[in-house]
Amino acid sequence: MIKLENVTKVYGGDTVAIKDVDLEISKGEFVFLVGASGSGKSTLIRLMMREEQPTHGDIWVAGKHASALASWKVPHLRRSIGTVFQDFKLLPTKTVYENVAFAMEVTGKHRSVIRNQVPQVLKLVGLSSKAGRFPRQLSGGEQQRVAIARAFVNRPLILLADEPTGNLDPGTSVPIMRILDRINRTGTTVVMATHDHAIVDAMKRRVVQLDRGRVTRDQSRGVYDTREIAQVPAAKPEPPMQLDVDEPGTEEIDAGDTSVVAEDAVLVDDLEGNEEE
Amino acid sequence: MTQFSYIIKEAFNNLGRNLLVVLGAILAVFISLSLTFGSVVIQEVVRVNTIQWAQDVRVIAFLQDDLTPQSTAELQAEVASWPQVNDVFYVSKQDAYAEALVLFSNNQAILRVLDESPDLIPASLRVQPTDPDEYELIVTRLEATPGVLQVESAGDAIDAMIAIRDGLQIVFWLLAVALGVAAVALIANTIHMAIYARREEIEIMRLQGASNWFVRTPFLIEGALEGLIGAALAVTAIVGIHRLLVGQLAEVPDWINLAIENDFLLRQGALVLLFGVLAGLAGSSLSLAVHRTLRS
């Protein structure tokens, strides 16, 4: 689904952000990118969404040779990628519903499809009752859930999340991770850059650790580097996250789940058909 | 269909957002194109009034009706051989009639006379002197030539008219070009501001995979609209002023014919509108090309 071959990214001639990275992520995987600030996590995400071009090396994303893709073909590639950021990037003048619908409007989805899909995906993130609110009327966690809904509403093959819980307190992160996990279970490949030890340790998914632009660890069912936790005296080990605990709102998500999965199977087939063209 | 209505809606939203700047840009288009269109109209008025003096003709020798084609050709060859003469054109009776219809299009009495006797105006030789100011000798020699009925030379009025036209043309065109450049720059600026105001939206659109044309078209439409509005105002103003002058005809010396065919105004007006749209598109394209947010 994503493949990086010998990728190097140098900024301004001398700042090396990514150095000789080889990485392969299969369809349906959930991958954490971990590492200190400036280790190259965000650059890697930006390279995968073709917001940046590598200085050397090749990148394939969703069956396309992203690093060699003509710029006019980039929009098409982006339609198979959903993106979530630390700062949410919601439009303040649009309601929750409109923010999510916007992602479909701009790619030319028919009005009836929008009317059908937006409520479903809002249900998935547990915000059906707040569809008419504006972002400023929501908590940080809720805003991020809107952003995830927007990233997922077009049913992308890949979801790239750059520090999605970076601005949130640990309690708020739980529902976010539950939603990302659920999205992953529909077959969507999820790549998430994060600092959050607790989340990585609780999820037990593949962990790719970066240090000064190089991959220093690639471990399936890994944890956040324990050595780093020990170096930060203030950080108390947090109680492990109970991702499968039933919390208010879970039922709502479950209710929407069957239809989401069913539809996803069809949509993923569609997109794969496109790839072969 | 959602996309189409979105694009139109956005184009108009932007116009409202920076009203003052947009008005400035429209004003620049308006002034620039008013000068251009005004200049074209003045040129047409002068052309109509000096139709027989076109191509630097300064002397006209009307010929006797009984001249045979052969002697006419001989006469033309002889005059052409004179050292003071650069070129000689022959204008037949039919051509002279067509010319008179243009020249006197504002004078019903003359038109009626012409209608009754279309062969009233004699054929003529039109003489283009080597030196436009030195044609007295040509006049004298022609008057002494057999077969010539009457000789007329361009008076001071014609010379002045042509001189004013040429002078105005240069000034108008220079101003129009300078203001045209300013207009394109001002339109580019309004588009720049519109892009800036919508930069978050554009960022999200690009991340979601909105196609380039979808992101850009509202801005192109906005620029084109600004150009079109400015051009429409210019056409309205010039046509209005012209109508006003024709209405006040009594106060204009009657040897000046201000009547211009509606066809001409329509054709040139349409060109001016097209020009406004093109200036608008140029301005917005410029802005879109420069703007970093829109690059993939």
Side-chain angles (χ1 to χ4, degrees):
Chain A
M1 190 54 47
I2 301 173
K3 191 173 164 197
L4 285 81
E5 253 181 34
N6 202 19
V7 169
T8 296
K9 176 68 187 178
V10 181
Y11 288 109
D14 54 354
T15 313
V16 180
I18 293 288
K19 181 81 180 147
D20 301 329
V21 167
D22 286 298
L23 185 64
E24 197 164 346
I25 297 171
S26 311
K27 184 171 172 351
E29 268 196 282
F30 195 123
V31 181
F32 285 113
L33 296 177
V34 303
S37 293
S39 59
K41 300 189 300 288
S42 291
T43 302
L44 211 53
I45 296 268
R46 291 168 67 79
L47 285 166
M48 289 172 183
M49 67 176 76
R50 208 202 178 271
E51 189 68 6
E52 304 271 3
Q53 283 280 60
T55 315
H56 301 294
D58 290 293
I59 302 175
W60 284 267
V61 177
K64 295 192 177 68
H65 193 174
S67 53
L69 202 63
S71 65
W72 64 271
K73 286 181 179 165
V74 170
H76 197 71
L77 171 69
R78 294 264 171 82
R79 289 178 197 189
S80 47
I81 306 172
T83 45
V84 179
F85 299 92
Q86 186 170 1
D87 59 356
F88 320 138
K89 294 193 194 295
L90 298 178
L91 294 170
T93 54
K94 291 188 190 292
T95 63
V96 166
Y97 183 95
E98 288 164 349
N99 263 287
V100 176
F102 185 66
M104 303 190 85
E105 282 165 8
V106 302
T107 49
K109 296 290 188 315
H110 196 271
R111 226 176 246 133
S112 62
V113 180
I114 296 175
R115 268 199 295 266
N116 177 27
Q117 294 289 303
V118 175
Q120 277 191 32
V121 80
L122 283 179
K123 202 170 184 185
L124 171 76
V125 301
L127 286 173
S128 294
S129 59
K130 298 189 172 169
R133 305 266 182 102
F134 287 93
R136 63 171 183 281
Q137 299 169 311
L138 301 177
S139 72
E142 287 169 335
Q143 289 187 47
Q144 192 59 294
R145 276 145 68 188
V146 178
I148 292 171
R150 181 181 62 192
F152 188 61
V153 73
N154 283 323
R155 305 302 148 104
L157 296 169
I158 301 166
L159 188 80
L160 301 175
D162 192 1
E163 303 267 6
T165 59
N167 276 354
L168 310 174
D169 37 275
T172 324
S173 306
V174 177
I176 300 284
M177 291 318 296
R178 189 176 290 117
I179 291 161
L180 289 180
D181 184 50
R182 208 162 278 291
I183 285 172
N184 177 235
R185 278 162 205 250
T186 66
T188 306
T189 308
V190 178
V191 180
M192 170 171 163
T194 185
H195 269 123
D196 199 321
H197 305 98
I199 286 173
V200 177
D201 293 346
M203 298 275 291
K204 300 219 168 33
R205 299 303 183 99
R206 181 175 170 191
V207 174
V208 173
Q209 182 166 11
L210 289 166
D211 185 15
R212 275 159 289 179
R214 288 175 185 276
V215 175
T216 54
R217 179 166 61 115
D218 187 347
Q219 191 179 10
S220 56
R221 298 188 64 78
V223 291
Y224 207 100
D225 193 348
T226 42
R227 196 162 37 83
E228 266 186 42
I229 297 176
Q231 279 171 353
V232 186
K236 287 185 298 195
E238 281 164 21
M241 241 176 253
Q242 299 293 307
L243 283 164
D244 42 5
V245 162
D246 262 0
E247 282 189 12
T250 313
E251 259 177 0
E252 198 178 13
I253 293 167
D254 281 343
D257 200 34
T258 2
S259 61
V260 167
V261 174
E263 235 165 63
D264 215 49
V266 177
L267 262 148
V268 168
D269 281 345
D270 278 359
L271 284 161
E272 282 180 342
N274 286 340
E275 267 174 55
E276 283 157 18
E277 281 175 13
Chain B
M1 218 50 223
T2 11
Q3 286 196 309
F4 181 72
S5 55
Y6 170 84
I7 284 171
I8 298 295
K9 198 182 72 198
E10 279 311 317
F12 278 95
N13 274 354
N14 290 342
L15 284 178
R17 193 147 22 205
N18 299 302
L19 199 58
L20 264 182
V21 195
V22 167
L23 285 180
I26 289 175
L27 193 68
V29 176
F30 164 65
I31 296 173
S32 167
L33 288 180
S34 293
L35 286 172
T36 313
F37 194 35
S39 175
V40 166
V41 169
I42 288 176
Q43 197 166 21
E44 175 68 3
V45 168
V46 174
R47 187 190 73 82
V48 165
N49 281 277
T50 60
I51 191 164
Q52 74 274 48
W53 306 108
Q55 289 176 281
D56 290 325
V57 166
R58 285 295 178 277
V59 182
I60 300 176
F62 291 104
L63 304 176
Q64 288 167 356
D65 282 353
D66 52 6
L67 220 58
T68 64
Q70 199 201 342
S71 41
T72 306
E74 281 166 18
L75 185 58
Q76 183 176 2
E78 191 205 326
V79 175
S81 72
W82 296 349
Q84 303 86 354
V85 172
N86 190 38
D87 208 350
V88 183
F89 320 106
Y90 173 72
V91 173
S92 68
K93 270 180 172 293
Q94 289 94 322
D95 294 343
Y97 172 69
E99 217 178 64
L101 288 184
V102 173
L103 195 56
F104 300 110
S105 62
N106 64 331
N107 193 323
Q108 291 306 317
I110 295 183
L111 287 180
R112 261 197 305 280
V113 173
L114 283 172
D115 196 38
E116 279 164 21
S117 37
D119 61 348
L120 186 72
I121 302 170
S124 59
L125 290 179
R126 305 284 166 91
V127 184
Q128 186 192 81
T130 317
D131 178 351
D133 296 324
E134 299 291 327
Y135 48 80
E136 289 309 314
L137 190 61
I138 302 174
V139 174
T140 319
R141 286 185 76 169
L142 278 172
E143 278 170 345
T145 309
V148 171
L149 183 70
Q150 194 188 333
V151 180
E152 267 188 35
S153 58
D156 290 344
I158 300 297
D159 282 350
M161 219 183 213
I162 290 170
I164 287 171
R165 178 193 66 185
D166 291 348
L168 277 183
Q169 292 307 308
I170 292 171
V171 175
F172 271 34
W173 281 110
L174 281 179
L175 272 175
V177 167
L179 279 162
V181 171
V184 170
L186 281 167
I187 289 174
N189 185 44
T190 64
I191 302 303
H192 177 83
M193 292 181 71
I195 294 172
Y196 187 77
R198 295 185 53 215
R199 62 196 181 286
E200 289 177 331
E201 222 170 312
I202 291 169
E203 189 192 355
I204 291 162
M205 285 161 84
R206 291 193 49 243
L207 287 173
Q208 294 294 341
S211 56
N212 288 334
W213 74 265
F214 184 79
V215 176
R216 286 159 193 244
T217 310
F219 298 112
L220 286 174
I221 291 180
E222 183 189 348
L225 265 176
E226 288 174 17
L228 183 66
I229 294 172
L233 290 175
V235 170
T236 314
I238 295 299
V239 171
I241 290 172
H242 176 251
R243 283 279 141 80
L244 212 68
L245 284 178
V246 172
Q248 307 285 315
L249 208 59
E251 292 166 31
V252 177
D254 58 3
W255 51 266
I256 297 181
N257 178 2
L258 279 177
I260 295 177
E261 294 199 17
N262 279 333
D263 261 11
F264 175 85
L265 285 177
L266 274 177
R267 236 175 322 139
Q268 301 298 320
L271 266 181
V272 168
L273 293 181
L274 181 69
F275 226 76
V277 170
L278 287 179
L281 288 176
S284 31
S285 307
L286 196 70
S287 213
L288 288 168
V290 174
H291 221 281
R292 214 179 55 81
T293 359
L294 292 176
R295 290 197 193 138
S296 17

